[in-house]
Structure formats: structure tokens, C-alpha cells
Amino acid sequence: MSEGGRRFEVVVPHDGSGMRLDAFLATREDLRLSRARVAGLIKKGAVLLNGAECKPASKVRVGDVVSMVIPPLEEPRVSPEPIPVEIVYEDDDVLVVNKPRGMVTHPGAGVSSGTLVNALLFHASGLSGIGGVTRPGIVHRLDKNTSGLLV
């Protein structure tokens, strides 16, 4: 099990008996983790079932002890890229850009460059951190194949 991060341990109660381990942990309100994130942690060995490594599909029983270390999410840094974008309006507080069809809005699974965020970081300074490291200034998004204005 990896070091660092938030530690969590639970004894499986009656209502959890027979559930898949990933589903059991994903239903825990005190964890607030998606089933996919839990499955990934299990596969990395960050989750132990009765002290042993396990699989996401492992069934839990009453009295089983599940322990895990939840590492902090590490968001990749996004680099500015000189990608041409149509800026419709810009002042000190707002930037309106016309996102073309076929352009990904922000980096994600399998896409780390060539996004609207990469372009905006090159063309504009002082983007708000409201959307996090990979979505600076962007609160919502348009799908890759959808064009339209983003503020």
C-alpha cells in the first residue's frame, strides 16, 4: 500500500455483505469516491481486504476489514500552445471565444495538448483558477464535436 494520503479503514457491516468491493467503497458517503476511482486504487494495491491485496470484483462479507490509502489527485499541468482561436470579445474580466467543432475543450483522458485550454493559456494572461489546474477559467465545456461560444 502506498505511503501518504488519507487513510481509511472500515469493518464491513451487514448491509454491505455480498457486495463487490469497488461498489461497497463507492457507496460510502464518508469517502466520496467514484467506483472507477476506487477500482483504480484497488488495482494499484492501495486497498487491502483483510490485510491482502484484492480485486475490484472481490466480494466482501460481514466483519471483513477494508483498509486503504487515498492519495491526493494529481492534476497534470497544462502548457500554453500557439493554437489559433477566434476571440469574439475580450476585456479585463471576460474572454469570449468561439470554440470550433473538433477541438477538445480541456485536457482529459488521452488528450494532453491541442485543446482550447492550451490555446487560451497562450493567448490570454491571468485566467481564473476557478476550473482547476486543467480547466483554468472554464466552468463548463462543449464536447469535442460541438462548436459554440465559451465565456
Side-chain angles (χ1 to χ4, degrees):
M1 200 176 336
S2 61
E3 293 300 317
R6 182 170 54 123
R7 296 185 182 282
F8 175 83
E9 187 170 285
V10 64
V11 176
V12 176
H14 288 284
D15 63 349
S17 186
M19 292 181 73
R20 286 175 51 117
L21 178 60
D22 58 352
F24 169 72
L25 290 172
T27 63
R28 300 287 306 192
E29 290 184 21
D30 48 349
L31 281 177
R32 297 179 188 241
L33 296 175
S34 70
R35 188 169 173 174
R37 174 103 159 101
V38 169
L41 291 172
I42 294 168
K43 290 174 186 174
K44 289 179 181 176
V47 178
L48 300 178
L49 180 59
N50 298 318
E53 289 192 8
C54 46
K55 295 181 178 181
S58 298
K59 299 289 185 183
V60 296
R61 296 180 309 241
V62 174
D64 282 349
V65 177
V66 179
S67 54
M68 64 189 300
V69 175
I70 307 162
L73 280 176
E74 293 182 23
E75 293 192 61
R77 295 287 171 188
V78 181
S79 300
E81 294 178 27
I83 301 168
V85 290
E86 180 187 351
I87 297 174
V88 177
Y89 175 82
E90 182 176 9
D91 65 23
D92 291 340
D93 300 312
V94 175
L95 178 73
V96 179
V97 62
N98 189 14
K99 187 196 90 62
R101 183 177 194 270
M103 178 182 265
V104 175
T105 302
H106 52 76
V111 179
S112 60
S113 65
T115 70
L116 181 62
V117 167
N118 296 104
L120 291 176
L121 288 172
F122 182 84
H123 292 286
S125 62
L127 290 176
S128 164
I130 193 167
V133 178
T134 59
R135 303 176 188 194
I138 297 176
V139 179
H140 295 282
R141 66 175 179 84
L142 294 175
D143 290 336
K144 177 181 178 181
N145 292 319
T146 302
S147 63
L149 300 177
L150 283 172
V151 180

